[in-house]
Amino acid sequence: MTVTKNNVRFNARGIKLAGILYLSGKANEKESNPAIVCVHPGSSCKDQTAGLYAEKLAELGYVTIAFDASYQGESEGEPRYIEEPATRVEDIRCAVDYLTTLAYVDKNRIGVLGVCAGGGYAVNAAMTERRIKAVGTVVGANIGRLNRESDPIKALEAIGQQRTAEARGAESMITNWIPKNQATLEQAGITDIDIIEAVDYYTTPRGQSPNSPNKLNFTSMGSVIGFDAFHLVEELLTQPLQIIIGSVQGAFGSYKDGHELYKRAASQNKDLLVVEGASHYDLYDQPEPVQIAVEKLATFYNEYL
């Protein structure tokens, strides 16, 4: 099915977020269509894996939107390169707001799909955003849990010192999410599959995008360290839930987060699919595992949207 891509901008707390709206066939001529908000990973953008899933779901007849987070990519917001969990969650709500303004979207048939950290944010948003009727995650990760695994107190002390320096006139500290390139990775002696494949995905033609420059405002990590994407899922996450992870485990921990979410979520209708032989980044863009994921998501959203 032919899919059209429309660049759009929508409001989010006084700034404009940049998104791509995906429409199949004559979707905009119909009175109502189901719609899905696609949420990108940390360090990523609308043009990478979130956009890939958005396009594939649009081919199946859904209206989908992928967008750059506030302060990142082509979206507005200063200072740049902030990863702020509360804002990332609010961005999702604002994307739902936008979809409800489209005459051809059924406001009662809106779902969300998040990849990696975007999966954690999607879960967190759905708990308090009841307009989201179905929740999907692909290698969903709890970014707060991940950043608490390596001496969080030391990191928070450094963040405090940097905030003091910046309050006194120092320039913002911009660091990197991952090693800058393959050479830097090798020099650091890193052998974990998730980090190796992250470098391959983000810093080579495989997935590289100017809207994903591997830059992070260091002081924003204080909020990330204190964030728990799954807090209250036992009470508030009641929507149907589809979790997809790969069997190959790495440092980002999406395998264990997927199992934890499945166990804890209050959802009566929930499913966990483990794609055998697939790594975290295989499920970003590799044809066979992505196809397995999309087929499972299609069955899920067809039932619940």
Side-chain angles (χ1 to χ4, degrees):
M1 188 179 294
T2 302
V3 172
T4 59
K5 303 178 185 180
N6 301 312
N7 292 320
V8 299
R9 288 187 174 266
F10 59 92
N11 293 316
R13 305 160 316 280
I15 65 174
K16 294 285 189 180
L17 301 192
I20 302 175
L21 187 69
Y22 296 81
L23 300 173
S24 63
K26 297 182 179 180
N28 60 342
E29 297 178 9
K30 297 180 182 179
E31 290 187 2
S32 64
N33 294 273
I36 301 170
V37 176
C38 297
V39 188
H40 68 67
S43 85
S44 190
C45 66
K46 64 185 180 307
D47 312 286
Q48 295 171 325
T49 185
L52 174 65
Y53 277 94
E55 183 169 7
K56 289 186 176 297
L57 290 169
E59 290 172 355
L60 300 175
Y62 295 93
V63 174
T64 61
I65 187 169
F67 60 92
D68 290 338
S70 296
Y71 313 110
Q72 301 175 26
E74 294 180 308
S75 290
E76 295 178 349
E78 295 288 343
R80 302 303 293 168
Y81 314 125
I82 284 177
E83 183 73 11
E84 168 55 60
T87 300
R88 289 278 255 135
V89 170
E90 182 64 17
D91 286 347
I92 297 169
R93 296 192 186 100
C94 293
V96 173
D97 288 343
Y98 172 71
L99 289 176
T100 66
T101 70
L102 303 178
Y104 47 85
V105 167
D106 185 339
K107 64 182 178 62
N108 295 312
R109 298 168 69 197
I110 297 175
V112 68
L113 173 67
V115 183
C116 191
Y121 293 134
V123 165
N124 197 267
M127 284 192 280
T128 54
E129 180 49 83
R130 306 310 297 185
R131 294 174 298 175
I132 294 174
K133 305 302 183 184
V135 182
T137 68
V138 174
V139 293
N142 185 343
I143 192 172
R145 184 272 312 154
L146 174 59
N147 281 278
R148 287 190 293 273
E149 290 185 343
S150 55
D151 204 343
I153 300 304
K154 180 179 179 181
L156 290 168
E157 293 284 0
I159 289 166
Q161 293 171 6
Q162 182 61 30
R163 286 185 67 105
T164 295
E166 291 178 18
R168 294 175 173 178
E171 291 187 3
S172 296
M173 180 177 177
I174 306 301
T175 186
N176 303 114
W177 286 87
I178 58 173
K180 294 180 180 180
N181 49 44
Q182 184 69 31
T184 305
L185 177 74
E186 293 175 356
Q187 289 170 6
I190 295 171
T191 59
D192 177 79
I193 187 171
D194 283 357
I195 301 176
I196 289 172
E197 292 190 355
V199 172
D200 184 58
Y201 181 80
Y202 284 113
T203 71
T204 74
R206 172 182 170 187
Q208 200 169 31
S209 169
N211 292 322
S212 172
N214 191 23
K215 293 182 179 181
L216 173 66
N217 190 310
F218 176 67
T219 60
S220 71
M221 292 306 292
S223 296
V224 173
I225 290 170
F227 176 69
D228 179 2
F230 301 159
H231 180 54
L232 298 179
V233 291
E234 299 91 343
E235 299 177 50
L236 299 180
L237 186 63
T238 61
Q239 297 97 320
L241 174 64
Q242 178 64 63
I243 303 164
I244 299 173
I245 55 177
S247 68
V248 180
Q249 300 184 51
F252 294 168
S254 58
Y255 181 89
K256 62 182 178 182
D257 281 345
H259 281 86
E260 179 184 350
L261 178 59
Y262 177 76
K263 180 180 179 180
R264 291 175 54 189
S267 308
Q268 292 298 307
N269 299 303
K270 57 184 177 180
D271 182 73
L272 171 63
L273 171 65
V274 180
V275 181
E276 292 299 327
S279 68
H280 188 93
Y281 282 91
D282 284 341
L283 280 156
Y284 272 45
D285 68 340
Q286 295 305 293
E288 184 175 348
V290 167
Q291 185 60 31
I292 293 171
V294 170
E295 289 175 358
K296 188 67 172 179
L297 291 167
T299 300
F300 170 71
Y301 290 122
N302 285 345
E303 182 172 358
Y304 295 111
L305 288 185

